[in-house]
């Protein structure tokens, strides 16, 4: 598969803008009967900008109120920056279908892991001040399990996300009901 991703966001008084574009390429390989392995890569670039003249600073407070004529002393030497970004992932899927006279029963297990911001790009709006975009690790595992002799499917799944000091673990206990 081949894909193109575009993202645009503008936020706040400073019009902090992010424009991002990337090319995605993936493939699927049958590794055994009812088992596949998928892998993909993402290569792209991002551009961030900010309109410093739209921002106000504490140094512009004159003791009674805000004075826009006071020069804030904040630099705007790098109000725009561009950086390259990459990501990759792999996904395993196993699906077993058994047929009876009454219906088909499906047992599916899947797991995947992806890694974003492989290059941990440095983002810098001020001279001497640099901020690295932490790499992001995402892992998932789940199943879809037919309950024998019923129309119900039990579908638990878990997702773990880590980016820098931040961690998130999500668990779901989903289900499906077959109408036919």
């Amino acid at each position: 598969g081949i894909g193109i991703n575009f993202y645009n966001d503008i936020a706040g008084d400073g019009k902090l803008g992010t424009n991002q574009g990337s090319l995605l390429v993936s493939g699927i390989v049958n590794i055994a009967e009812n088992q596949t392995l998928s892998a993909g890569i993402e290569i792209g670039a991002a551009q961030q900008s900010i309109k410093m003249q739209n921002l106000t600073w504490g140094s512009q407070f004159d003791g009674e109120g805000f004075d826009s004529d006071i020069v804030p002393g904040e630099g705007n030497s790098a109000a725009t920056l561009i950086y390259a970004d990459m990501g990759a992932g792999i996904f395993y899927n196993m699906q077993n279908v058994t047929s009876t006279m009454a219906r088909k029963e499906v047992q599916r297990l899947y797991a995947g892991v992806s890694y974003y911001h492989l290059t941990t790009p440095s983002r810098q709006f001020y001279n001497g001040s640099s901020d690295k975009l932490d790499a992001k690790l995402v892992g998932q595992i789940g199943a879809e399990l037919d309950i024998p002799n019923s129309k119900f499917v039990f579908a638990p799944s878990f997702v773990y996300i880590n980016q820098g000091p931040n961690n998130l673990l999500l668990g779901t206990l989903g289900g499906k009901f077959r109408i036919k």
Side-chain angles (χ1 to χ4, degrees), residues 91-93 108-112 138-145 153-161 168-176:
F91 185 81
Y92 169 80
N93 185 54
R108 177 175 179 236
L109 300 172
Y110 59 87
V138 179
Q140 70 174 32
I141 188 167
E144 292 181 9
L145 307 167
V153 177
F154 180 60
S157 67
F158 296 91
V159 174
Y160 171 74
I161 302 171
L168 176 66
L169 178 63
L170 299 171
T172 63
L173 295 175
K176 297 180 181 181

Side-chain angles (χ1 to χ4, degrees), residues 12-117:
D13 293 337
K15 306 293 184 211
L16 176 62
T18 301
N19 294 300
Q20 189 170 353
S22 55
L23 175 67
L24 301 101
V25 179
S26 67
I28 302 172
V29 176
N30 290 321
I31 57 174
E33 186 177 347
N34 302 324
Q35 297 180 49
T36 59
L37 192 62
S38 309
I41 59 169
E42 175 185 26
I43 299 172
Q47 180 259 336
Q48 289 187 310
S49 62
I50 190 167
K51 296 190 181 210
M52 301 293 277
Q53 66 273 17
N54 290 358
L55 299 175
T56 57
W57 307 92
S59 60
Q60 292 176 303
F61 181 72
D62 64 8
E64 294 181 22
F66 170 76
D67 184 353
S68 62
D69 292 331
I70 297 174
V71 177
E74 300 292 333
N76 62 355
S77 61
T80 298
L81 62 101
I82 298 173
Y83 59 88
D85 202 4
M86 294 177 62
I90 192 164
F91 185 81
Y92 169 80
N93 185 54
M94 188 278 297
Q95 183 168 313
N96 189 24
V97 178
T98 56
S99 295
T100 65
M101 292 294 285
R103 65 188 200 107
K104 289 183 181 179
E105 289 187 2
V106 177
Q107 306 297 325
R108 177 175 179 236
L109 300 172
Y110 59 87
V113 65
S114 55
Y115 199 68
Y116 300 92
H117 313 304

